[in-house]
């Protein structure tokens, strides 16, 4: 059975299922319970700044759902320590921009403990974080920094594109024995879609071929999958058959699926809502050139944001984000 | 607690640990100078009473986080000395299979969550270990060692805030040796004593003589007992001194020679321990010299075996990054 849920509700459901099935799973972060003074009548919890975790403290209690101080390094670092010693924490980093105030425990501890200790420790930590532009949240609350976490060996990075994927990928992330950065793109948080009931996992490291085609490959992830689908429909009207591959996870990266699609179509466009330098888009372009050169019938195209901070004004933010038209333009340039 | 309530057997083991740490560090000083060991190395000599005073009251289930100056904590927590030496030689038989080195020696089976190359980096990790104990209702405790310099880090303040709020079963042990790298503590720390910082979080905070095993033992013991009973965290500030510089090879031009000589000649924690244990009539001079000889043999074997041990295979660079990828 499936029902219609938005992505936030699907994420809430995944956390609840994970917490019911494993007493070692805890939820911690700024406002994840969200206040609510139990000694005072007429107060209730916020359940996160976007309401994503509402209701969980009621079911699981304050021992397992913990509001932390607004101290990202302390909260993420404590979650790393808890993960290394037997818990399976789900820590919320409210916005991915706050990587800046939380980085050492991820970069120098979570990512490296297992390797530095010769394989003798596991860090089964999931950091959930809202990423991306689209809510006029401006330059410090809108970045897609998954390229940064993907660039750190020892971390895994997941970027879902739909409510159903968000639920299955989050359950897999929480149950994964390695540290996972789980992005929740703003572009999909309010997206509504069919979500299967019950407990299911979508494996990390396997891309999803969401649309088959023969003329051009559109590789996307997170909020750009919808853009790629829209572009593919427009291309079909113009007689071009586009294939859309949803990466689902950036680390591990399903290189086989990317190269298989390229071999089939000979043309590659990567759509990435982040900035271009050192980006996932350019990384995949390099893989296509390095390992798929003989398949290429045209230059690889990257459709990304410009190399700027994220602007506030709705007009500017729209100009910042990649669009289906940008994809069509890129395909057009390939000839 | 009377200082000499400890049995002769216990005190012999305490001394063995302290002597092993001292000898381990003296060996390293020579091995690095001889070019036999590479990398960055920070010696713990002079601070032995702290690691042993605290860790001799912990079980393997109690978790310890350490620092870049971590050899002493590892030895005190029961990590195998030969495997540690092999690690420093970069051997496959090392505690970390040659992947960690001096600043990352770890043995989770012994409750050693690792030395840590990031100043302050271990503090949230032990806070998280204490969170695990609290969430799961276990009675083990976590102990974080760090220097005076780390108390300027945000990680220190953020962690102490959380531990105090949640009454986590954790003991924070500040080894205040008077220098952060080369800079005197008073140049960069605006409070006279580090305990003031913990007290600002309404955390229990106690100062101990870090050169006196018995003082550290007694004060750490009280804090550990309170933590086990669910009465929350303590910061124990141990006043101490580094006998060597910040790193092996540090010529220490920044410290006063008379002051250093005074600490080294008159306040050596091994000498203080021997005097007190002897005067109390619990240990005899022969006990000490017997242990000295045994430790010397152990360390000689550790070096010989490490030098003879196999190097890692080059292909091992690829393993242990992920559990499953």
């Amino acid at each position: 059975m499936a029902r219609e849920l938005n992505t936030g509700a699907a994420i809430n459901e995944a956390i609840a299922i994970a917490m019911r099935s494993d007493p070692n799973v805890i939820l911690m972060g700024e406002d994840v319970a969200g206040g609510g003074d139990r000694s005072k009548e007429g107060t209730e919890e916020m359940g996160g700044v976007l309401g994503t975790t509402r209701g969980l403290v009621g079911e699981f209690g304050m021992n397992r759902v913990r509001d932390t101080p607004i101290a990202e390094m302390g909260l993420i670092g404590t979650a790393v320590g808890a993960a290394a010693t037997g818990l399976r924490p789900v820590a919320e980093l409210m916005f991915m921009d706050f990587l800046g105030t939380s980085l050492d425990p991820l970069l120098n501890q979570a990512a490296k403990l297992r390797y530095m200790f010769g394989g003798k420790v596991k860090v089964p930590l999931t950091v959930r974080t809202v990423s991306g532009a689209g809510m006029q949240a401006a330059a410090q609350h809108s970045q897609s920094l998954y390229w940064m976490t993907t660039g750190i060996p020892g971390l895994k990075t997941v970027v879902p594109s739909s409510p159903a994927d968000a639920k299955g990928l989050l359950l897999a992330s929480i149950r994964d024995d390695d540290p996972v950065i789980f992005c929740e793109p703003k572009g999909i948080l309010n997206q509504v879609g069919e979500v299967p009931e019950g407990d299911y996992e979508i494996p990390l490291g396997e891309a999803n071929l969401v649309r088959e085609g023969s003329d051009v490959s559109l590789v996307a992830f997170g909020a750009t999958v919808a853009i790629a689908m829209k572009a593919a429909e427009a291309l079909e009207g113009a007689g071009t058959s586009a294939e859309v591959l949803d990466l689902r996870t950036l680390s591990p990266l399903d290189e086989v699926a990317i190269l298989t699609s390229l071999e089939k179509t000979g043309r590659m466009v990567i759509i990435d809502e982040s900035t271009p330098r050192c980006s996932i888009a350019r990384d995949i372009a390099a893989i296509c050139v390095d390992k798929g050169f003989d398949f290429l019938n045209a230059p690889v195209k990257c459709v990304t944001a410009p190399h700027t901070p994220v602007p506030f004004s709705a007009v500017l933010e729209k100009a910042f984000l990649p669009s289906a038209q940008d994809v069509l333009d890129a395909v057009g340039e390939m000839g | 607690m009377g200082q000499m309530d400890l049995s002769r057997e216990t005190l012999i083991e305490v001394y063995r640990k302290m002597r092993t740490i001292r000898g381990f560090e003296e060996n390293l000083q020579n091995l690095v100078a001889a070019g036999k060991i590479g990398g960055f190395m920070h010696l713990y000599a002079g601070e032995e009473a702290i690691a042993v005073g605290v860790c001799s009251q912990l079980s393997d289930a109690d978790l310890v986080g350490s620092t870049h100056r971590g050899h002493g904590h590892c030895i005190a927590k029961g990590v195998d000395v030969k495997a540690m030496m092999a690690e420093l030689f970069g051997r496959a038989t090392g505690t970390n299979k040659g992947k960690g080195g001096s600043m990352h020696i770890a043995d989770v089976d012994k409750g050693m969550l690792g030395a840590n190359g990031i100043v302050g980096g271990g503090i949230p990790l032990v806070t998280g270990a204490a969170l695990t104990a609290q969430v799961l209702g276990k009675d083990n405790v976590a102990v974080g060692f760090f220097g005076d310099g780390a108390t300027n880090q945000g990680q220190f303040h953020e962690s102490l805030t959380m531990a105090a709020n949640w009454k986590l079963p954790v003991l924070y042990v500040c080894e205040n040796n008077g220098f952060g790298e080369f800079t005197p503590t008073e140049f960069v720390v605006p409070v006279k004593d580090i305990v003031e910082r913990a007290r600002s979080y309404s955390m229990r905070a106690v100062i101990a003589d870090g050169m006196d095993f018995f003082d550290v033992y007694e004060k750490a013991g009280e804090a550990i007992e309170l933590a086990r009973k669910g009465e929350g965290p303590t910061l124990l500030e141990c006043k101490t001194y580094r006998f060597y510089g910040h790193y092996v090879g540090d010529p220490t031009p920044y410290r006063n020679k008379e002051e250093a000589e005074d600490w080294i000649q008159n306040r050596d924690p091994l000498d203080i321990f021997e005097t007190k244990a002897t005067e109390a009539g619990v240990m005899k001079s022969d006990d000490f010299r017997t242990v000295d000889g045994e430790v010397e043999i152990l360390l000689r074997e550790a070096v010989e075996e490490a030098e003879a041990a196999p190097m890692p295979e080059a292909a091992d660079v690829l393993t242990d990054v992920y559990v499953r990828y």
Side-chain angles (χ1 to χ4, degrees):
Chain A
M1 274 291 289
R3 316 93 337 132
E4 299 262 309
L5 289 179
N6 71 23
T7 303
I11 288 167
N12 183 296
E13 195 166 276
I15 297 168
I17 289 169
M19 292 185 78
R20 278 179 213 129
S21 66
D22 181 353
N24 291 328
V25 176
I26 65 164
L27 177 67
M28 58 191 290
E30 295 154 9
D31 301 317
V32 292
D37 185 339
R38 274 136 210 284
S39 67
K40 288 187 187 139
E41 292 277 320
T43 68
E44 57 182 310
E45 301 89 5
M46 284 285 286
V49 70
L50 300 175
T52 306
T53 51
R54 192 167 293 152
L56 294 172
V57 69
E59 178 173 354
F60 300 104
M62 294 176 77
N63 191 41
R64 292 177 68 195
V65 179
R66 293 192 178 225
D67 280 333
T68 67
I70 303 172
E72 287 82 13
M73 194 151 43
L75 94 85
I76 298 295
T78 299
V80 175
T85 54
L87 292 183
R88 198 170 278 280
V90 179
E92 179 174 311
L93 184 63
M94 191 180 285
F95 291 99
M96 198 171 203
D97 312 73
F98 304 167
L99 267 179
T101 48
S102 68
L103 196 55
D104 184 70
L106 295 172
L107 169 69
N108 282 317
Q109 315 295 340
K112 300 189 171 89
L113 288 183
R114 181 171 181 78
Y115 192 78
M116 292 191 302
F117 295 2
K120 292 175 189 162
V121 71
K122 296 189 292 192
V123 185
L125 164 72
T126 300
V127 176
R128 295 175 39 244
T129 187
V130 173
S131 63
M135 287 184 179
Q136 280 197 269
Q140 295 172 339
H141 290 72
S142 298
Q143 293 168 91
S144 295
L145 299 173
Y146 38 63
W147 54 271
M148 191 188 285
T149 56
T150 301
I152 301 171
L155 299 182
K156 294 177 178 176
T157 299
V158 176
V159 191
S161 65
S162 71
D165 273 21
K167 180 177 169 183
L169 287 167
L170 182 54
L171 275 161
S173 297
I174 295 170
R175 291 165 179 164
D176 197 278
D177 282 336
D178 292 308
V180 178
I181 310 301
F182 185 88
C183 297
E184 299 174 3
K186 290 192 193 72
I188 71 155
L189 273 180
N190 293 321
Q191 182 185 320
V192 175
E194 282 204 351
V195 178
E197 291 194 42
D199 190 340
Y200 64 94
E201 296 175 27
I202 296 174
L204 308 187
E206 293 182 20
N208 183 25
L209 188 60
V210 288
R211 179 189 168 106
E212 289 202 55
S214 55
D215 299 331
V216 62
S217 300
L218 307 181
V219 169
F221 54 97
T224 65
V225 173
I227 296 167
M229 290 298 283
K230 196 174 164 192
E233 280 159 29
L235 286 166
E236 187 173 271
T240 299
S241 167
E243 175 149 303
V244 177
L245 184 69
D246 175 1
L247 294 175
R248 283 181 165 162
T249 71
L250 303 179
S251 178
L253 181 67
D254 191 346
E255 282 190 24
V256 171
I258 296 167
L259 293 168
T260 300
S261 182
L262 177 60
E263 183 174 16
K264 184 172 160 190
T265 66
R267 296 197 295 170
M268 172 66 64
V269 182
I270 307 118
I271 307 125
D272 177 354
E273 67 167 313
S274 181
T275 48
R277 297 296 316 281
C278 304
S279 64
I280 298 299
R282 296 267 175 90
D283 184 50
I284 293 170
I287 290 168
C288 291
V289 172
D290 185 13
K291 299 182 179 174
F293 191 78
D294 292 342
F295 306 145
L296 284 166
N297 295 326
V300 179
K301 289 289 176 186
C302 296
V303 175
T304 69
H307 205 61
T308 68
V310 183
F312 164 69
S313 166
V315 169
L316 296 174
E317 190 180 45
K318 186 161 177 283
F320 174 87
L321 282 169
S323 68
Q325 186 59 50
D326 295 336
V327 179
L328 298 179
D329 292 347
V331 173
E333 286 169 19
M334 296 168 102
Chain B
M1 172 177 39
Q3 290 192 337
M4 289 300 159
D5 288 351
L6 296 169
S7 69
R8 174 172 171 270
E9 288 70 31
T10 301
L11 288 182
I12 286 176
E13 288 317 302
V14 163
Y15 180 72
R16 186 186 306 282
K17 283 268 165 46
M18 290 173 53
R19 172 54 65 192
T20 304
I21 296 169
R22 178 64 57 86
F24 193 84
E25 303 297 57
E26 287 169 348
N27 266 281
L28 289 179
Q29 174 81 8
N30 297 331
L31 289 162
V32 173
K36 290 191 171 182
I37 292 180
F40 296 171
M41 193 84 66
H42 311 84
L43 302 184
Y44 192 72
E47 306 183 12
E48 293 88 346
I50 305 168
V52 180
V54 174
C55 293
S56 57
Q57 306 182 73
L58 302 175
S59 76
D60 288 352
D62 297 319
L63 291 149
V64 163
S66 172
T67 71
H68 56 286
R69 200 175 305 289
H71 305 157
H73 309 128
C74 293
I75 292 170
K77 197 67 176 58
V79 179
D80 181 63
V81 171
K82 291 183 173 178
M84 285 178 63
M85 189 62 82
E87 182 64 26
L88 298 177
F89 274 86
R91 297 314 204 259
T93 54
T95 47
N96 308 32
K97 303 195 292 198
K99 285 179 167 166
S102 171
M103 286 191 280
H104 307 301
I105 293 177
D107 185 347
V108 288
D109 293 337
K110 289 285 178 190
M112 168 43 72
L113 269 179
N116 208 304
I118 305 296
V119 170
I123 301 174
L125 299 185
V126 297
T127 307
L131 177 62
T132 297
Q134 186 181 74
V135 168
L136 300 181
K138 294 181 176 173
D139 73 348
N140 57 292
V141 301
V143 176
F145 292 96
F146 49 88
D148 42 282
T151 71
N152 282 335
Q153 287 276 20
Q155 305 210 50
F156 168 83
H157 294 275
E158 296 187 17
S159 297
L160 263 67
T161 299
M162 293 171 70
N165 276 336
W166 290 343
K167 294 197 183 332
L168 293 179
V170 57
L171 172 61
Y172 297 107
V173 180
C174 177
E175 300 171 322
N176 184 348
N177 60 26
F179 294 92
E181 300 199 349
F182 321 126
T183 304
T185 306
E186 64 265 26
F187 283 24
V188 290
V189 175
V191 292
K192 180 172 165 286
D193 298 308
I194 302 298
V195 287
E196 292 178 49
R197 298 188 142 170
R199 285 172 187 152
S200 77
Y201 302 117
S202 294
M203 186 181 294
R204 192 181 314 108
V206 181
I207 295 176
D209 178 355
M211 310 311 266
D212 181 359
F213 166 84
F214 297 101
D215 196 44
V216 174
Y217 184 90
E218 183 175 338
K219 288 167 178 167
E222 288 167 5
I224 290 166
E225 199 180 325
L226 287 169
R228 276 199 214 288
K229 287 197 298 195
E231 293 184 27
T234 301
L235 183 140
L236 180 66
E237 178 182 1
C238 299
K239 306 283 192 185
T240 185
Y241 201 79
R242 293 185 313 228
F243 281 12
Y244 296 103
H246 170 52
Y247 59 93
V248 177
D250 172 4
T252 67
Y254 50 85
R255 71 182 189 186
N256 179 283
K257 286 194 171 45
E258 287 74 34
E259 179 187 279
E261 276 307 295
D262 182 48
W263 280 93
I264 293 165
Q265 295 304 323
N266 304 320
R267 303 192 61 188
D268 185 321
L270 275 69
D271 294 343
I272 292 171
F273 180 89
E274 181 164 342
T275 302
K276 287 198 172 187
T278 309
E279 284 176 358
V282 187
M283 282 177 71
K284 295 187 169 56
S285 180
D286 282 356
D287 294 330
F288 291 97
R289 301 296 79 79
T290 301
V291 171
D292 291 349
E294 289 167 352
V295 168
E296 195 181 332
I297 290 167
L298 170 72
L299 292 170
R300 187 160 60 231
E301 287 175 358
V303 173
E304 287 167 3
E305 290 174 23
E307 285 189 291
M311 284 291 185
E313 300 289 331
D316 289 342
V317 69
L318 298 176
T319 60
D320 301 323
V321 184
Y322 295 93
V323 178
R324 188 168 57 83
Y325 194 70

